[in-house]
Amino acid sequence: MPKPQVFITRHLTTKLDQLQQIATIEVWEERQPPPYTVLLKKVKTIDGLLCLLTDQIDQQLIEAAGTSFKVISQMAVGYDNIDIPVATARKIPVGHTPGVLTDATADLTWALLMAAARRVVEADRFVRGGEWRTWEPNLLLGPNITGATLGIVGFGRIGQAIARRAKGFDMKVFYTSKNRCDQELERDLGVEFTAFEHLLQEADFVTIHTPLLDETYHLFSDRQFKLMKQSAILINTARGAIVDQEALYQALANGEIAGAAIDVTDPEPIPTDSPLLSLDNLIITPHIGSASRQTREKMANMAIVNLIAGLKGERLPNCVNPEVY
Ligand code: NAP
Ligand code: GLV
């Protein structure tokens, strides 16, 4: 019997030996993702796909998949690029990589929070620009982090990891989420559940950790920025489209909020002529939340394990749509 065929949409640093034993592998070796038309052609003949969040796995693509197509395995925890209802209707399990990237993403979120508060990027530009003349009492001042109030929007794996970090900074922590978590966990993490609007009004730092869903699209727009403190800083390491970027630009340019630090934009990459890039009170990183070497290795391995299970017709260890079983 010929081995199943799999397509991996980018070069991974991890070893593919285990997969190689059971499948014939084709890897897209270019730096840019495969064009949609290439994917559309591939899915007609392959048995499994290992994809990234840069691949658009939509209705047309899933419906074009051949009869032998068995599994979609995404190397990311978020899966808003995949049409899950259509995959489910075709009984195709979709895998993802939760948990292994929680700490790396929380660490980057914390780095952004601290860099925005203490103006680290501006300060670096200041020194390189030859502007450092002397120690000045009022140079590059920012707010305190220790003892400040933090608002966490979306209290899942990463949101909770942020709360654990906040403990070390003696912060008052509010969270809002679809569901309130159990009170023992609240006590343990030292957090208080509150309404979204109250959190916006109270927090010195607001950090976003929801998935991108219909109901979280542009969750942050004009009204939400107006509710926030003028001294507040927004951090977004979730998905770009959760924030209305035009509204974010206005809020930052008009001083409705003090600053922002974002790892995700809409679209990605952000166009180089975006007005956001002209703002000194905004830090942008290129979607590197999970980018520690160890984490990316774990994500790749987890995606391969999901892929192998799908090829063998076994239940994926981390399945987004278990209804297929
Ligand atoms: P998670 O454990 O599923 O947490 C998401 C949380 O958001 C859940 O508690 C969920 O509540 C809550 N939520 C859902 N809808 C909401 C709403 N309308 N309002 C408020 N809260 C809502 O996911 P995670 O592992 O923490 O990851 C969160 C997101 O981070 C991912 O979906 C991904 O987009 C993003 N991410 C980005 C990077 C990066 O590189 N920048 C890395 C990793 C993850 P329920 O559980 O009750 O539904
Ligand atoms: C990264 O953004 C992920 O969802 O894993």
Side-chain angles (χ1 to χ4, degrees):
M1 250 221 341
K3 284 181 180 175
Q5 308 266 336
V6 302
F7 186 59
I8 303 181
T9 64
R10 220 74 60 77
H11 178 78
L12 309 175
T13 46
T14 194
K15 288 203 170 60
L16 298 175
D17 308 11
Q18 229 194 326
L19 182 60
Q20 229 142 19
Q21 285 172 15
I22 66 145
T24 304
I25 306 168
E26 184 185 351
V27 178
W28 182 259
E29 293 285 356
E30 292 181 29
R31 186 172 174 196
Q32 290 296 322
Y36 184 75
T37 48
V38 169
L39 273 182
L40 203 54
K41 201 163 156 221
K42 289 283 172 213
V43 291
K44 293 185 200 304
T45 55
I46 58 176
D47 300 79
L49 176 68
L50 194 157
C51 56
L52 309 186
L53 53 84
T54 43
D55 302 313
Q56 184 192 337
I57 314 295
D58 61 8
Q59 177 166 9
Q60 184 190 5
L61 192 123
I62 297 168
E63 286 178 350
T67 48
S68 68
F69 190 75
K70 291 183 196 65
V71 55
I72 299 170
S73 175
Q74 164 120 316
M75 187 183 136
V77 64
Y79 46 82
D80 45 277
N81 57 314
I82 305 175
D83 193 327
I84 302 298
V86 174
T88 306
R90 271 209 58 180
K91 297 248 177 288
I92 297 169
V94 177
H96 71 147
T97 61
V100 291
L101 43 52
T102 296
D103 282 322
T105 309
D107 289 346
L108 192 270
T109 306
W110 208 262
L112 288 177
L113 183 154
M114 297 192 73
R118 300 304 305 274
R119 302 174 62 180
V120 172
V121 177
E122 266 181 273
D124 180 79
R125 281 193 215 117
F126 180 86
V127 174
R128 288 170 200 268
E131 290 180 68
W132 187 13
R133 304 271 184 270
T134 180
W135 189 91
E136 294 173 71
N138 297 320
L139 180 63
L140 288 163
L141 301 184
N144 266 344
I145 299 166
T146 299
T149 298
L150 174 67
I152 303 175
V153 179
F155 207 58
R157 289 170 290 253
I158 300 170
Q160 290 172 24
I162 293 296
R164 278 194 287 280
R165 282 152 181 75
K167 271 186 141 185
F169 288 80
D170 292 331
M171 292 173 109
K172 171 154 189 59
V173 182
F174 287 114
Y175 79 93
T176 189
S177 206
K178 209 157 84 181
N179 300 295
R180 185 172 174 176
C181 66
D182 71 64
Q183 290 183 11
E184 201 181 320
L185 183 62
E186 284 182 0
R187 264 195 307 278
D188 190 34
L189 293 175
V191 299
E192 193 177 314
F193 180 76
T194 194
F196 182 42
E197 294 197 351
H198 183 244
L199 178 150
L200 295 177
Q201 287 163 338
E202 291 298 317
D204 300 307
F205 298 93
V206 175
T207 183
I208 307 175
H209 301 288
T210 67
L212 175 60
L213 306 164
D214 288 345
E215 69 259 30
T216 59
Y217 178 82
H218 285 193
L219 184 64
F220 283 76
S221 193
D222 296 324
R223 194 177 124 65
Q224 289 68 35
F225 292 127
K226 287 192 168 63
L227 285 172
M228 287 169 70
K229 293 182 182 176
Q230 286 192 330
S231 56
I233 289 175
L234 177 75
I235 299 102
N236 184 12
T237 60
R239 283 292 181 269
I242 299 170
V243 175
D244 172 351
Q245 282 184 185
E246 173 56 31
L248 176 64
Y249 173 79
Q250 294 301 337
L252 289 169
N254 300 332
E256 287 166 27
I257 64 171
I262 59 178
D263 183 47
V264 285
T265 61
D266 179 30
E268 291 184 1
I270 190 168
T272 50
D273 63 354
S274 166
L276 284 170
L277 298 177
S278 67
L279 297 170
D280 275 338
N281 55 350
L282 175 69
I283 298 173
I284 309 186
T285 50
H287 205 146
I288 54 167
S290 63
S292 80
R293 277 185 281 280
Q294 297 88 337
T295 298
R296 287 287 164 82
E297 173 94 25
K298 284 183 188 162
M299 289 166 68
N301 287 335
M302 206 164 173
I304 289 167
V305 168
N306 280 330
L307 184 67
I308 291 176
L311 293 172
K312 289 183 171 169
E314 293 167 3
R315 200 181 171 97
L316 311 196
N318 285 284
C319 187
V320 169
N321 56 346
E323 312 87 273
V324 295
Y325 298 113

